[in-house]
Amino acid sequence: MTNISEGLKYTKSHEWFDPTTGRIGISAFAVEHLGDVVEVDLPEVGTEISQGDELGTVESVKTASEVYSPVSGKVIAVNEALADSPELVNESPYNEGWLIAVEIENNEELDSLMNSASYQEHCSEEE
Amino acid sequence: MSEAKKTPYYDFHVSQGAKIVDFVGFLMPMQYEGIKKEHMAVRQQAGLFDVAHMGEILFKGEGALDTVNALITNDLNLIPDNHALYTPICYENGGIVDDCIVYKRSASDIMIVVNASNKDKDYKWMLDNYKGVKPIDQSDDWALLALQGPDAEHIMHHAFDADLSSIPGFGLGWINAFGQQIMVARTGYTGEDGFEIFVPTQFASAAYETIMNAGKPHGMVAAGLGARDTLRLEARLWLYGNDIDATTTPLEAGMNFTLKFDNHDFIGRAALLKQKEEGLKRKLVGFKATGKGIPREHFNVLDKMPSDGGRIIGQVTSGTKCPFLNESVGLAYVETAFSKPGTALVAEHDGKCVEIELVKGSFYKRSGK
């Protein structure tokens, strides 16, 4: 059973969004499948992104994985720690391994995301 | 497809929590705790690899040396007994059948270890082409292990009370274990010191446990195929299927040190001599990324940025970010005009571009033995 954080909103492509902080990251399920993360490519603060757009890339030893934005909005912060310590994504996918924070434009987009229970179900279907 | 095979070490992998993958018909460990950790352990202490899936083909009897020498591009006459030799095997047209290590115990007792992915093809090719001593496929008789890392010699000492310090690189020796004489060779596929241990299949479990128990206090870990791939790339070793195959020649791949044309006839000789004379259209080169991003297998190589009118001059065959160097490195075939070390090029995939620079020699060089 994979580790899923309560209170977050999830996408089918395994990103999470925290409605209280605006942070975006990738789930423990995604991290397990990627393996050791060695490089992270993220947008700059101020970039406008739309829901479903590619916001960046997380690269592991084995493969590169695109990260899609769970919501639309403006990037207000980027996790600078990942430049030197990309392994934080593996070690702490829901906390220190966050990727970017956005100012959400339209709260209605949240309805299209999954809560932790439905995401759990989604993961077991993919397993 | 037939059902995937298991090596005699399969249960150990599962009990250690390995991620198991089907690798060319064998259920093999991709990783245990993580590729990075296993990679670093091999560079700094030691790692134990199950390589029992690899093929062993024996040539035994008078004339074995001449039989094998006619099949390989390298020359067994140039090494003493109890030594090993790295060599490609080529088709008549110079394309590569496989790359392998030939273990010469004597002129009449020679074993070739071949890639698991090519074993059946290789064995058939050898049966079709040998003149002299008939090859015997012994792959099921041996459960090969590779103990790699700076502490390998020390761990072998603890495990088997064996002093292997006098065995040189690519040398062979024997240890006494389980009432047997077991062959070990100072060879490997990691760019690190270490041994490959020719464990008879019936002693597989005992050998694995003995080495594990001796190695753990030294920081040795079980290492999987993932680390094997990053280690070999960091040491700039070729991988068949990626960097070399039937459509590439040893000259293009930069394996000139394995081509011995003098007083040595072998399959592919004429084609390779001709290619050497005419000059190469492309060459395999090593590169490191100078910009952000990781060029991987199948990326195009361009002479400059697409926005500056760059055109495709080659393809990446292997690439990743190597854990020890913490740099993105790889191999690529490029047009000969662009193959000089120091050349700045661009790796591109789906519009994503990574700046690269060609580098000479191995990315990683170990110190000492």
Side-chain angles (χ1 to χ4, degrees):
Chain A
M1 189 68 65
T2 185
N3 169 26
I4 288 173
S5 191
E6 297 279 335
L8 302 179
K9 293 290 209 169
Y10 296 88
T11 65
K12 280 187 177 164
S13 45
H14 306 285
E15 292 86 9
W16 56 259
F17 176 70
D18 183 342
T20 53
T21 62
R23 282 183 177 180
I24 292 169
I26 61 172
S27 74
F29 180 91
V31 167
E32 276 161 34
H33 282 77
L34 269 175
D36 290 327
V37 173
V38 290
E39 202 162 303
V40 178
D41 186 26
L42 299 172
E44 283 168 17
V45 171
T47 310
E48 297 279 353
I49 49 176
S50 302
Q51 187 177 40
D53 278 4
E54 185 182 323
L55 69 81
T57 315
V58 175
E59 301 221 36
S60 71
V61 175
K62 280 184 291 182
T63 185
S65 178
E66 279 78 36
V67 182
Y68 300 97
S69 189
V71 294
S72 307
K74 191 161 87 177
V75 179
I76 51 168
V78 173
N79 188 353
E80 305 287 350
L82 299 181
D84 286 332
S85 305
E87 67 276 7
L88 290 173
V89 177
N90 294 99
E91 290 163 8
S92 177
Y94 299 114
N95 294 301
E96 287 156 75
W98 64 282
L99 302 178
I100 59 169
V102 296
E103 195 171 48
I104 187 169
E105 265 171 20
N106 177 1
N107 276 314
E108 278 174 24
E109 281 182 351
L110 294 178
D111 299 339
S112 62
L113 303 175
M114 288 176 270
N115 62 22
S116 55
S118 7
Y119 180 62
Q120 176 80 69
E121 206 170 306
H122 174 65
C123 288
S124 26
E125 277 164 17
E126 281 204 3
E127 199 70 81
Chain B
M1 281 294 278
S2 55
E3 203 180 319
K5 288 193 256 185
K6 294 172 181 174
T7 76
Y9 306 112
Y10 177 80
D11 290 342
F12 288 111
H13 307 321
V14 172
S15 71
Q16 292 176 96
K19 269 189 197 167
I20 302 288
V21 294
D22 184 335
F23 176 74
V24 299
F26 286 87
L27 295 175
M28 299 299 289
M30 174 55 72
Q31 61 171 66
Y32 302 83
E33 277 183 65
I35 293 174
K36 226 164 149 178
K37 185 184 167 182
E38 293 157 32
H39 183 113
M40 295 304 279
V42 171
R43 290 275 177 257
Q44 294 170 336
Q45 291 94 24
L48 183 62
F49 297 85
D50 170 3
V51 283
H53 60 315
M54 295 189 78
E56 290 85 12
I57 297 167
L58 179 72
F59 293 76
K60 192 157 186 167
E62 204 178 320
L65 188 144
D66 290 338
T67 306
V68 175
N69 239 11
L71 301 175
I72 63 175
T73 67
N74 213 327
D75 187 353
L76 282 171
N77 284 308
L78 302 177
I79 58 163
D81 287 356
N82 294 323
H83 276 72
L85 189 68
Y86 173 75
T87 184
I89 303 174
C90 285
Y91 293 105
E92 206 63 72
N93 70 3
I96 302 172
V97 180
D98 201 0
D99 66 331
C100 50
I101 297 185
V102 182
Y103 295 85
K104 176 188 178 186
R105 291 179 283 225
S106 73
S108 56
D109 184 7
I110 294 165
M111 184 186 271
I112 306 186
V113 174
V114 301
N115 281 301
S117 53
N118 290 333
K119 196 267 282 175
D120 292 339
K121 175 190 81 176
D122 290 356
Y123 184 53
K124 185 178 181 300
W125 185 86
M126 289 175 187
L127 284 175
D128 289 347
N129 289 282
Y130 83 96
K131 289 193 182 71
V133 173
K134 190 177 178 181
I136 303 165
D137 180 3
Q138 287 199 322
S139 303
D140 291 339
D141 300 345
W142 302 103
L144 196 64
L145 284 175
L147 174 60
Q148 302 277 297
D151 290 343
E153 185 183 299
H154 203 60
I155 292 166
M156 287 300 281
H157 185 88
H158 277 259
F160 301 108
D161 196 24
D163 180 6
L164 303 179
S165 59
S166 62
I167 300 179
F170 274 77
L172 310 187
W174 276 263
I175 56 173
N176 287 306
F178 321 114
Q180 307 273 313
Q181 289 270 93
I182 292 178
M183 186 173 103
V184 298
R186 203 160 206 143
T187 51
Y189 190 49
T190 58
E192 211 55 62
D193 188 23
F195 296 91
E196 291 182 294
I197 306 147
F198 290 76
V199 181
T201 299
Q202 68 265 38
F203 300 112
S205 297
Y208 196 91
E209 280 180 332
T210 305
I211 299 171
M212 263 296 164
N213 291 337
K216 268 191 184 158
H218 296 277
M220 187 194 83
V221 301
L225 293 178
R228 192 168 156 81
D229 190 46
T230 54
L231 285 158
R232 71 91 194 167
L233 184 58
E234 204 170 61
R236 199 173 171 165
L237 297 170
W238 300 266
L239 174 62
Y240 195 94
N242 277 51
D243 314 309
I244 49 173
D245 61 26
T247 70
T248 65
T249 73
L251 287 166
E252 293 169 335
M255 297 172 145
N256 301 49
F257 72 99
T258 66
L259 301 176
K260 301 291 156 59
F261 296 110
D262 293 346
N263 306 314
H264 177 216
D265 196 17
F266 59 87
I267 299 174
R269 184 176 189 271
L272 291 169
L273 276 177
K274 183 163 176 271
Q275 189 180 45
K276 202 176 170 183
E277 227 177 75
E278 288 174 353
L280 300 175
K281 292 194 177 70
R282 59 173 182 175
K283 280 185 181 174
L284 189 69
V285 294
F287 65 81
K288 64 176 184 186
T290 48
K292 222 172 151 43
I294 306 175
R296 297 175 189 271
E297 192 186 342
H298 305 315
F299 273 45
N300 291 315
V301 180
L302 281 64
D303 59 343
K304 49 194 165 193
M305 283 292 181
S307 52
D308 299 332
R311 75 177 173 90
I312 296 174
I313 53 124
Q315 254 81 38
V316 175
T317 55
S318 288
T320 190
K321 188 160 186 175
C322 281
F324 185 81
L325 295 172
N326 199 27
E327 278 186 331
S328 297
V329 302
L331 298 170
Y333 280 102
V334 298
E335 293 174 12
T336 304
F338 298 95
S339 64
K340 272 214 180 81
T343 307
L345 298 170
V346 177
E348 179 272 339
H349 179 69
D350 275 351
K352 273 189 189 165
C353 293
V354 185
E355 289 173 277
I356 61 172
E357 185 187 301
L358 304 191
V359 293
K360 203 180 168 176
S362 177
F363 307 115
Y364 166 80
K365 287 176 198 76
R366 72 174 185 259
S367 50
K369 219 168 199 169

